[in-house]
Amino acid sequence: MSKLRLSIITAMFMMFGFHYHAHSAIRESKLLSCDVASLLDSLDVELSKKDVFENIKKSKIETLRKKLHGVDDPEHLYWINRDLYNEFSFFDSDSALHYANICYDIALKQGRKSWMDEMNLNKSYIYAATGLLDEAKQCIDMVDINSLSNGMIVDYYERLLFIATHKDQFLGKNSLETPFLPDMEPLLMNLGRNLPSTDPLYCWFIGWRSFNDFDLAKKSIPLVEKVVRTSNFSTRKEAMDAWVLSHLYKKTGDTENAFKYLILSAIADIRMCNKEIASLQEISSIVYGAGDLNRANDYITYCLQCANDYNSRVRVGRLADLQYHIAEALSMKSNEQAKRIKSFIYILILILVVLVVAVCYIYRQFKRLKKQKLILNETNDELNRRVTELQETRMQLKDVNTRLEELVRNTQQSASELLVANDNKERYIADIFSICSNYISKLDDFRRDIYRKIMAHKFEEVKELTKSPELSHGEIKELYSNFDQIFLRVYPNFVEDFNTLLRPADRIVLKKGELLNTELRIYAFVRLGINDSVKISKFLHCSVQTVYNTRQRVRNKSDIPNEEFASAVRLLGKPSI
């Protein structure tokens, strides 16, 4: 009897009309909190498996039907058909009514008054659930309350309450603030007197009676929540536990928890193939108010299909009306999207037009660039000729260096002649290197000037200016090499002598193949009497700051005072004889 009482209370709750007002619910709760969003995703997953759950339900029903074959005992037949009624009571109203009638006929033939009363109560539930209220009233009127057992009395009052709430719902008497009318209070009181606290449905009754009163709802939440926390949400009882807890939370203003448990109730309904589903209908109204039209449409379509399968006249009209509004909103959304797509197409066409214009402009620029490239090639040819002239000049410089070496070898006369020749050599080296360095600087300035004019497309001016040779980085390196060779021929022990001025840990070690490095080359000029950092930077084609920093760094490596270091360098070494 407990399963039957559960089914009656379940349907009774569903017919109360406790529907969330979508927009206010959205305003009052965080609809898309992490927990709620995750539960909605879980609900979608369960809904996608509805066919699997229905096949399991049909398989269970088919197993019960097979038990009917070869059974002759009336009592055994009664209990099998009663189980089939229980399976169909929330799944197929026509089949449920069919098996209830079979059970009634068996009870009538066997003269079992209690069985007949039970089936009349069951048929009254089916009639009320499908909207046939007169037939439901006729069935319940056939039951004599004075002959009922205590358990049957609870079922009797449940049916009366169920019929009354369906009638109120048909007539639109109940509302969000008043789920049931005052004339149902006596029924609730009678149900309370006949339902012991040890009954599994007692917490449901406590929650049900609290829907009209804030304080009662607040006190009832812990009792119902204790039951819900142990649920797996896979049975009808667990679905209704969550449904009642949801509406108790809503009565106290906690709309987020209300929505959370409403989703859990819907998940349980789907898993056990309940066609008398109310939770999902309320959820579809909420998500519709939140603007999630596709999800709302999926939910309401499933609800309407269940209502049609169950032949629930009460629900079909309400569901069809909500589905109409959702479909209308989807249509409006589709039209808005079509308008946006049309706007995007216009924008795309505009972009394509701009792109075509840009391609044409790029093509014209490409043709101009091709023409300018031809001019630039001619200029490069002219520069190559100038480079050839530079190479010839470099050969001349080599000849000068060769003659200078011969002059050094020939200055082996007396000490006075050697000193005079040495002074001449030092001045000669400095003058030659100064000339070469100045020449390189002019060539580098010339190169930069040519580059600027080419970038400015002043090709005619380039042709006029390309009369002076240009010296590349390779010539500068070779100039350094020539200087290193000549200087070390004059002062072969310069590196070793220079290191004596430095601390042992900071002495200069040349890399393989090096004659002088930057530090030694700078102080080679100091040894030649050129102490001006500006002049040295011009000779070496580096910045004055580089020369200054290098000199400062080397001086810091010596124990000699900084102001005396240059003088000590100028005294280093003796010319080779």
Side-chain angles (χ1 to χ4, degrees):
M1 295 300 293
S2 61
K3 183 181 291 186
L4 186 58
R5 291 201 304 274
L6 174 61
S7 66
I8 299 302
I9 292 181
T10 296
M12 178 178 59
F13 278 132
M14 288 186 169
M15 303 315 295
F16 267 169
F18 281 179
H19 300 295
Y20 285 98
H21 188 278
H23 297 286
S24 64
I26 299 304
R27 286 195 299 268
E28 295 171 5
S29 66
K30 297 178 181 177
L31 181 60
L32 293 180
S33 65
C34 293
D35 289 343
V36 172
S38 177
L39 282 174
L40 278 175
D41 291 338
S42 299
L43 176 59
D44 293 339
V45 171
E46 297 300 322
L47 191 60
S48 68
K49 298 189 293 185
K50 61 182 183 298
D51 292 336
V52 175
F53 298 135
E54 187 162 335
N55 288 335
I56 295 173
K57 180 77 169 180
K58 289 179 179 178
S59 176
K60 186 176 181 180
I61 291 172
E62 186 60 28
T63 300
L64 285 173
R65 281 174 169 166
K66 288 180 180 179
K67 291 182 179 181
L68 292 173
H69 299 314
V71 176
D72 296 326
D73 179 49
E75 185 168 353
H76 194 186
L77 283 173
Y78 175 84
W79 293 116
I80 296 175
N81 283 282
R82 182 179 178 273
D83 288 341
L84 283 167
Y85 164 80
N86 289 331
E87 290 296 329
F88 278 113
S89 60
F90 299 105
F91 186 66
D92 185 333
S93 62
D94 290 339
S95 297
L97 189 61
H98 169 73
Y99 287 106
N101 285 327
I102 291 176
C103 288
Y104 184 84
D105 291 340
I106 294 173
L108 183 62
K109 290 178 181 179
Q110 296 297 314
R112 302 290 292 269
K113 183 68 168 58
S114 61
W115 289 0
M116 294 169 61
D117 290 337
E118 181 183 11
M119 287 305 115
N120 277 322
L121 293 176
N122 288 343
K123 288 195 291 182
S124 72
Y125 164 74
I126 298 298
Y127 285 134
T130 55
L132 302 175
L133 300 179
D134 290 339
E135 289 81 350
K137 187 67 168 58
Q138 291 173 7
C139 286
I140 206 166
D141 287 343
M142 294 173 66
V143 177
D144 182 8
I145 189 173
N146 296 320
S147 64
L148 298 177
S149 63
N150 290 336
M152 291 287 289
I153 289 175
V154 173
D155 293 336
Y156 177 82
Y157 284 124
E158 287 174 343
R159 298 307 190 279
L160 288 178
L161 188 57
F162 186 64
I163 294 171
T165 53
H166 271 60
K167 183 177 180 181
D168 290 342
Q169 187 177 17
F170 248 0
L171 299 176
K173 291 182 180 180
N174 53 356
S175 66
L176 296 177
E177 292 76 20
T178 308
F180 52 84
L181 297 179
D183 58 3
M184 284 190 275
E185 287 288 350
L187 296 181
L188 290 174
M189 297 303 295
N190 285 331
L191 183 58
R193 283 192 295 269
N194 289 278
L195 190 64
S197 60
T198 56
D199 194 291
L201 300 179
Y202 182 74
C203 63
W204 289 76
F205 168 67
I206 292 298
W208 181 42
R209 288 191 61 191
S210 304
F211 289 149
N212 269 0
D213 188 279
F214 175 87
D215 293 331
L216 283 177
K218 193 171 184 180
K219 292 178 181 178
S220 301
I221 285 176
L223 178 61
V224 179
E225 193 170 33
K226 182 179 179 181
V227 176
V228 172
R229 285 177 178 174
T230 63
S231 299
N232 293 320
F233 303 104
S234 58
T235 66
R236 184 60 183 163
K237 177 185 182 301
E238 292 170 341
M240 287 310 303
D241 283 341
W243 189 90
V244 170
L245 183 58
S246 168
H247 286 73
L248 288 173
Y249 269 122
K250 183 178 184 299
K251 184 64 180 179
T252 61
D254 189 347
T255 53
E256 182 172 356
N257 272 322
F259 191 43
K260 171 184 173 182
Y261 287 106
L262 193 65
I263 295 172
L264 292 172
S265 174
I267 289 174
D269 282 333
I270 293 170
R271 287 174 177 173
M272 53 86 63
C273 288
N274 174 30
K275 301 289 186 177
E276 255 285 276
I277 187 168
S279 302
L280 194 62
Q281 177 183 345
E282 297 179 26
I283 293 172
S284 65
S285 178
I286 294 173
V287 296
Y288 164 63
D292 192 348
L293 300 180
N294 291 326
R295 183 175 259 158
N297 187 59
D298 291 341
Y299 293 166
I300 202 64
T301 300
Y302 176 76
C303 290
L304 190 58
Q305 179 184 349
C306 289
N308 285 324
D309 291 345
Y310 194 76
N311 291 328
S312 179
R313 298 164 182 80
V314 179
R315 293 193 182 281
V316 169
R318 291 173 178 260
L319 291 170
D321 182 63
L322 180 56
Q323 186 184 46
Y324 168 78
H325 289 295
I326 294 174
E328 189 176 42
L330 279 172
S331 178
M332 292 176 62
K333 182 179 179 181
S334 178
N335 292 335
E336 290 175 359
Q337 290 177 342
K339 290 179 181 179
R340 285 197 295 269
I341 291 172
K342 190 174 182 181
S343 300
F344 292 152
I345 291 174
Y346 288 147
I347 293 172
L348 181 60
I349 292 173
L350 179 60
I351 293 173
L352 289 175
V353 171
V354 173
L355 184 60
V356 170
V357 172
V359 168
C360 294
Y361 175 76
I362 292 172
Y363 177 72
R364 290 184 60 188
Q365 292 297 106
F366 178 76
K367 290 182 66 177
R368 290 182 60 189
L369 185 62
K370 187 176 181 181
K371 184 177 179 181
Q372 292 171 359
K373 187 177 180 180
L374 293 175
I375 298 173
L376 185 60
N377 288 336
E378 295 175 358
T379 305
N380 287 335
D381 292 339
E382 182 66 22
L383 289 175
N384 289 333
R385 287 193 295 273
R386 297 302 180 186
V387 170
T388 302
E389 293 177 4
L390 285 175
Q391 291 176 347
E392 294 175 356
T393 303
R394 183 166 58 89
M395 295 302 296
Q396 293 174 1
L397 288 174
K398 284 186 177 181
D399 293 339
V400 172
N401 289 333
T402 302
R403 289 194 296 272
L404 183 59
E405 291 176 359
E406 292 175 357
L407 179 62
V408 171
R409 287 193 297 269
N410 293 330
T411 56
Q412 297 180 356
Q413 298 178 4
S414 62
S416 59
E417 291 176 348
L418 180 59
L419 291 174
V420 173
N422 191 51
D423 290 338
N424 290 335
K425 283 191 293 182
E426 290 176 358
R427 289 194 297 273
Y428 187 73
I429 291 170
D431 291 340
I432 291 297
F433 199 80
S434 177
I435 292 170
C436 294
S437 179
N438 288 335
Y439 189 69
I440 292 171
S441 297
K442 291 178 181 179
L443 289 177
D444 200 40
D445 292 338
F446 172 77
R447 178 188 61 78
R448 287 195 295 269
D449 191 35
I450 288 295
Y451 178 75
R452 284 194 299 269
K453 291 183 180 299
I454 288 175
M455 293 304 293
H457 301 162
K458 297 179 180 180
F459 300 108
E460 292 300 325
E461 293 182 19
V462 170
K463 290 181 180 179
E464 292 298 321
L465 291 175
T466 53
K467 295 178 180 179
S468 297
E470 179 184 3
L471 194 59
S472 65
H473 182 65
E475 280 74 26
I476 295 174
K477 289 179 65 176
E478 188 165 354
L479 184 63
Y480 288 168
S481 177
N482 290 335
F483 171 77
D484 296 344
Q485 293 174 15
I486 294 170
F487 182 80
L488 290 176
R489 286 192 181 99
V490 178
Y491 300 99
N493 298 321
F494 176 76
V495 176
E496 292 79 6
D497 295 341
F498 186 80
N499 274 330
T500 61
L501 301 178
L502 305 178
R503 292 188 292 270
D506 295 323
R507 289 177 178 175
I508 297 173
V509 179
L510 294 171
K511 298 179 181 178
K512 185 178 180 180
E514 280 188 336
L515 297 177
L516 297 176
N517 59 13
T518 301
E519 296 171 340
L520 291 170
R521 201 171 289 123
I522 289 172
Y523 277 97
F525 279 98
V526 175
R527 176 64 185 84
L528 293 174
I530 303 172
N531 197 43
D532 188 350
S533 295
V534 177
K535 289 183 178 181
I536 294 173
S537 70
K538 290 183 177 180
F539 292 154
L540 296 179
H541 288 271
C542 60
S543 68
V544 176
Q545 189 64 40
T546 299
V547 175
Y548 176 83
N549 292 342
T550 303
R551 292 182 67 177
Q552 183 66 33
R553 186 172 61 253
V554 174
R555 285 198 298 267
N556 292 337
K557 295 178 181 179
S558 173
D559 292 327
I560 301 174
N562 288 353
E563 59 272 16
E564 298 176 9
F565 190 76
S567 299
V569 172
R570 282 195 292 272
L571 297 176
L572 289 176
K574 293 182 179 180
S576 61
I577 300 175

